[in-house]
Amino acid sequence: MNKKIIIDFFKSIPRYVWILAAIVAVGIFFRTYNFYDWMSFNTDGVRDAILVSHPVEEGIGSLPLLGPRAGGTQLHLGPIFYYFEYLSGAIFQSTNPVVFAFPSLLFSILTIPLFFFLLREYFSERLSLIMTAMFSTCFMAIEYGRFAWNPNATPFFAILFLFALLRAFNANEKGRWRKYAWFAVSGGALAIATQLHFSAFIGLPIVFVLFVAFNWKKTKEINPWKSALAFFGIIFVFYIPVFIFEFLTHGKNTLLFFDAVGSKGSDRDIFEKIFQDIKIFSKYFLWIVAGIVDGKRWQEVLSAFLFFAGTIVNYFLMKKETDERKKRFLELSLIFILVF
């Protein structure tokens, strides 16, 4: 009887779950194979490992209120990256550098199934599985899941932010409490992502504001005050250490933020900046999709064409889409791409 129950249980599992499990297994293999021996350990990793080693050995009281500096500036991001490393060190009772890389590895693995569920908001099951398989074996995604660095977990929390935001707007009226739960998840993901990378700190809030503005009619239907409380309340919780630091230092990091925004600019005119953006996006789009790190000029030109052609197709698909759920996916995708 028990054997029959077990067999029936496995038969009841949808086929896509087995395929997705196999895709995740392949992704895990590429991300963990020879993890210790092949792990990168750069100067930032040394700095972070030394800083987090003290709380692991001496106690949580010596954890910092701020995180790593945003590249090329004196501004400090939020401390969540150090807290992830501390938790890993405390769980394994070790300050071995490989232990501090476990959070990056974990989030890299978790991004694979999360990416599938985000894709299913628009694409078919089959196409979503194909693209998830591509992501699972993507060279850049694998590489950045194999060492400790604060931006490495950004893809997971950025995708979680997008997915939860879509689910919050797509939840049916009977499940109103689910909307607030998804808004809370989206706010938490935003709070964490913005503490991991300066670009996310600037870009994701803009994405949120634009998406809500374009869906303002829908926003008014879902009790904006409760939704805002769920969203911004969880952000406040995650940013408590930063607020404490700002209070104790009279806004020192906030002043550094304005300096950082100014220093991130350049003397180039707008057309030079656009051209530079096209070059950078085409280079990394080629790296992500094809695994080509230093492509030839024609390859980067082709990559730029495909990227921008895809963006234009996204726009026209959005204009003709009648399904509100799918339209929001295309809208959020387009906003995300254009903002960054």
Side-chain angles (χ1 to χ4, degrees):
M1 184 64 180
N2 289 338
K3 184 177 180 181
K4 185 178 184 303
I5 292 174
I6 294 172
I7 293 173
D8 289 341
F9 170 75
F10 280 106
K11 285 183 177 180
S12 68
I13 298 175
R15 186 179 68 167
Y16 83 87
V17 174
W18 294 109
I19 298 173
L20 180 60
I23 291 171
V24 173
V26 171
I28 292 173
F29 170 77
F30 282 120
R31 286 160 176 76
T32 58
Y33 182 75
N34 264 0
F35 185 78
Y36 182 87
D37 293 329
W38 292 357
M39 190 186 79
S40 299
F41 195 52
N42 52 30
T43 52
D44 286 348
V46 174
R47 174 203 64 198
D48 298 335
I50 292 173
L51 190 150
V52 179
S53 292
H54 297 303
V56 173
E57 294 172 340
E58 301 167 10
I60 195 172
S62 55
L63 274 171
L65 294 173
L66 294 180
R69 286 205 307 261
T73 74
Q74 295 301 311
L75 169 73
H76 284 263
L77 299 168
I80 197 71
F81 171 69
Y82 289 151
Y83 296 175
F84 286 151
E85 288 198 332
Y86 167 78
L87 284 174
S88 182
I91 290 169
F92 291 97
Q93 287 295 294
S94 172
T95 57
N96 189 311
V98 73
V99 171
F100 295 139
F102 286 164
S104 293
L105 172 63
L106 175 64
F107 290 125
S108 179
I109 292 170
L110 292 177
T111 307
I112 301 171
L114 179 61
F115 186 58
F116 170 79
F117 291 114
L118 175 65
L119 293 174
R120 284 293 288 127
E121 291 294 302
Y122 179 80
F123 297 101
S124 68
E125 182 180 288
R126 181 180 181 184
L127 196 52
S128 297
L129 286 169
I130 291 171
M131 287 190 284
T132 303
M134 292 175 64
F135 177 78
S136 176
T137 55
C138 170
F139 173 71
M140 179 179 275
I142 294 169
E143 180 184 20
Y144 282 85
R146 294 182 61 97
F147 67 100
W149 193 32
N150 53 287
N152 290 0
T154 309
F156 174 81
F157 291 102
I159 292 174
L160 181 59
F161 162 70
L162 299 175
F163 176 67
L165 191 57
L166 286 172
R167 295 304 295 265
F169 275 84
N170 291 337
N172 59 47
E173 291 301 315
K174 293 180 181 179
R176 187 176 288 270
W177 67 271
R178 294 180 182 176
K179 293 179 183 291
Y180 307 136
W182 282 118
F183 271 118
V185 172
S186 183
L190 175 69
I192 294 173
T194 53
Q195 295 187 40
L196 295 174
H197 199 282
F198 186 76
S199 294
F201 183 80
I202 297 293
L204 290 184
I206 298 174
V207 171
F208 174 77
V209 170
L210 290 176
F211 181 74
V212 170
F214 280 112
N215 290 273
W216 183 245
K217 184 178 179 181
K218 180 70 175 177
T219 304
K220 291 191 292 184
E221 297 173 3
I222 57 178
N223 197 323
W225 295 110
K226 290 183 179 179
S227 301
L229 180 62
F231 184 82
F232 292 106
I234 198 72
I235 291 176
F236 176 82
V237 171
F238 277 103
Y239 265 90
I240 285 175
V242 178
F243 294 146
I244 293 174
F245 179 87
E246 292 296 274
F247 176 77
L248 295 175
T249 62
H250 306 288
K252 177 181 178 181
N253 206 50
T254 301
L255 296 175
L256 291 173
F257 165 74
F258 290 112
D259 289 339
V261 171
S263 68
K264 285 287 185 178
S266 70
D267 295 329
R268 299 192 189 99
D269 62 34
I270 186 65
F271 295 105
E272 288 180 299
K273 291 178 181 179
I274 292 173
F275 180 71
Q276 184 68 13
D277 276 350
I278 292 172
K279 285 180 63 178
I280 292 170
F281 269 80
S282 60
K283 174 182 176 181
Y284 286 102
F285 185 66
L286 184 66
W287 189 355
I288 291 168
V289 174
I292 300 174
V293 178
D294 293 310
K296 297 178 181 177
R297 186 171 181 80
W298 70 268
Q299 291 173 321
E300 292 190 355
V301 170
L302 177 61
S303 174
F305 172 78
L306 292 174
F307 181 83
F308 286 100
T311 304
I312 293 170
V313 169
N314 186 324
Y315 172 77
F316 285 107
L317 286 174
M318 182 187 71
K319 296 296 289 184
K320 65 181 291 189
E321 183 59 63
T322 57
D323 186 322
E324 286 298 318
R325 294 171 64 95
K326 291 186 175 183
K327 188 168 186 173
R328 284 194 199 95
F329 176 92
L330 293 170
E331 189 177 71
L332 186 56
S333 300
L334 191 61
I335 290 171
F336 183 84
I337 291 167
L338 294 178
V339 165
F340 280 93

